[in-house]
Amino acid sequence: MLKAIRNRWQHWVNQRIPRSDQRAFGQRNIFILPTGAGVVFGFLLLIMLITGINYQNSLIYLLTFLLGAVAVAAMHQTHRNLSGLELTLIQAGEGFAGDPIPFRLRAVSPRHDTLALSLACEDVILTQQHIPAGQQADLNLSVASYQRGYLQPQRILVETRFPFGLFRAWSWLRPVTSGIVYPNPLVAPDVASTVQDGEEQSKARSLDGNDHADIRPWREGDMSQRVQWKRYARTGEMVIADWEGEQGSPHWLDYEAFAGTDRELRLGYLTHQVLERSRNNSRFGLNLPGQVIEPDTGAAHTNRCLKALAIFGLEQPREGGPLPHGTRAGEGARQAVHAGGGGLA
């Protein structure tokens, strides 16, 4: 029964507050209730009123009505503190699975100061934010991520308890724009790419034989036959020679090179290779089923490859059916979402 009530409440809230990257808060979408302190305060006022009636004491009446007026004024001020606020998502961040993903929001209070504003998403809370009247402030809220993919928060809580903490006024922002969560990088085993640079370059490598090699540090899992033992005896440095004649182009990071490996492991291996090539400022391309990114260098190329790995095989979340934070939802789950008209539990 509680689950059914919660689902109906969430469905009602989702209808009242549709997904949008911009929200202006007013009478229609602000909720207000007394806090625990407000309930205790009201209970004490009731006891004072009963005492005043019992003893017919004018001073108790005066104090009770005075404190009651303060409570009513506090209620209006708490609602007013959030009313008129405009909140806009201006940038959804990117990061690796397990790291907090930053979401940058812009708050504008056109009519009056907004004081002691709090933003929250799951367990992450941003408190004591003040927006002066007629000015704007950029707020950075970090959202927890768990797995690669699109990161679309179900709801970002916006609340205030100013001035006395007797009442809590709140609402939500339900953004449309999604952040991107990259796969966790995993140290890749020593494998050969299946991609060639082209027919002419392939012939050139076959004529050269093993005269050209790519030297790199030894990693756990590399075959001992590839270790340059003579160099190790000379310098104490354990390195590996990747012979061009024995493999595909060294400029390509290939999804198919990790045959027989789980998809998520392959993406983790490729992520590590992308980061390693980027640190070395090496030219590289990325070969994924259905998508090929030509070899290039630079930060923009690295970000493009990481994003391709993050969203590989996933659909972008849409209105009415957001994916959980950075998770992979199957087609059946998406159909259930559309059938139920709400988000995934």
Side-chain angles (χ1 to χ4, degrees):
M1 181 179 294
L2 291 177
K3 183 177 180 180
I5 294 174
R6 183 169 61 251
N7 290 339
R8 289 181 64 86
W9 162 254
Q10 291 180 352
H11 181 66
W12 181 81
V13 169
N14 291 344
Q15 286 186 326
R16 197 172 185 85
I17 306 178
R19 282 201 174 273
S20 175
D21 286 338
Q22 184 175 14
R23 178 70 57 206
F25 300 106
Q27 291 289 124
R28 176 177 170 78
N29 51 29
I30 295 179
F31 308 89
I32 184 168
L33 282 174
T35 62
V39 172
V40 173
F41 186 81
F43 183 69
L44 291 177
L45 286 181
L46 179 61
I47 293 177
M48 291 173 62
L49 180 60
I50 294 174
T51 303
I53 294 174
N54 186 51
Y55 289 100
Q56 291 296 309
N57 190 309
S58 300
L59 290 179
I60 296 179
Y61 280 132
L62 177 62
L63 182 59
T64 301
F65 293 141
L66 179 61
L67 293 178
V70 169
V72 172
M75 178 180 64
H76 285 283
Q77 179 60 37
T78 302
H79 185 275
R80 180 178 179 272
N81 194 42
L82 196 58
S83 179
L85 178 69
E86 298 175 3
L87 194 63
T88 306
L89 174 63
I90 58 176
Q91 184 179 17
E94 301 175 355
F96 293 93
D99 295 338
I101 307 301
F103 280 70
R104 189 151 62 98
L105 303 110
R106 179 160 295 164
V108 180
S109 185
R111 295 197 298 267
H112 49 74
D113 294 347
T114 297
L115 305 174
L117 183 71
S118 296
L119 303 178
C121 185
E122 293 188 344
D123 296 331
V124 181
I125 303 175
L126 187 65
T127 61
Q128 297 299 315
Q129 303 301 310
H130 307 298
I131 298 94
Q135 299 184 23
Q136 65 183 27
D138 288 351
L139 311 175
N140 292 310
L141 180 67
S142 297
V143 178
S145 65
Y146 304 104
Q147 292 180 324
R148 73 170 183 95
Y150 293 100
L151 177 58
Q152 186 186 60
Q154 174 67 359
R155 287 195 292 255
I156 295 176
L157 176 66
V158 184
E159 73 166 30
T160 180
R161 303 189 183 197
F162 181 84
F164 301 129
L166 299 178
F167 293 89
R168 170 178 176 256
W170 79 95
S171 188
W172 293 280
L173 175 70
R174 303 179 62 235
V176 174
T177 304
S178 304
I180 300 296
V181 183
Y182 306 137
N184 273 325
L186 302 172
V187 178
D190 185 24
V191 295
S193 169
T194 63
V195 183
Q196 303 291 340
D197 282 335
E199 185 178 354
E200 294 183 358
Q201 295 185 17
S202 178
K203 290 180 180 179
R205 279 197 301 273
S206 64
L207 293 175
D208 291 341
N210 292 342
D211 292 338
H212 302 285
D214 182 20
I215 304 298
R216 61 169 177 79
W218 177 85
R219 295 192 298 258
E220 185 177 355
D222 290 335
M223 295 186 299
S224 60
Q225 295 90 332
R226 292 183 178 270
V227 176
Q228 300 295 295
W229 295 110
K230 292 183 179 179
R231 182 167 178 172
Y232 176 72
R234 254 189 350 263
T235 65
E237 182 183 8
M238 186 173 290
V239 295
I240 296 294
D242 284 337
W243 298 103
E244 292 184 358
E246 298 176 356
Q247 60 185 19
S249 169
H251 300 306
W252 285 94
L253 307 181
D254 186 17
Y255 180 90
E256 301 298 340
F258 304 98
T261 306
D262 175 75
R263 180 176 72 171
E264 298 307 315
L265 283 177
R266 295 192 194 196
L267 296 176
Y269 293 153
L270 291 171
T271 301
H272 180 271
Q273 290 181 334
V274 167
L275 296 176
E276 188 177 38
R277 296 295 181 91
S278 178
R279 282 194 296 267
N280 297 332
N281 199 28
S282 302
R283 181 181 177 86
F284 67 93
L286 181 63
N287 179 49
L288 296 173
Q291 183 178 10
V292 176
I293 300 178
E294 295 296 329
D296 203 348
T297 59
H301 178 64
T302 300
N303 289 339
R304 183 185 176 193
C305 292
L306 290 174
K307 183 176 181 179
L309 294 171
I311 64 177
F312 176 71
L314 303 178
E315 293 184 9
Q316 187 169 2
R318 299 176 181 177
E319 164 62 23
L323 297 178
H325 295 347
T327 58
R328 306 179 302 280
E331 186 62 31
R334 284 191 292 271
Q335 292 176 357
V337 169
H338 292 302
L344 291 176

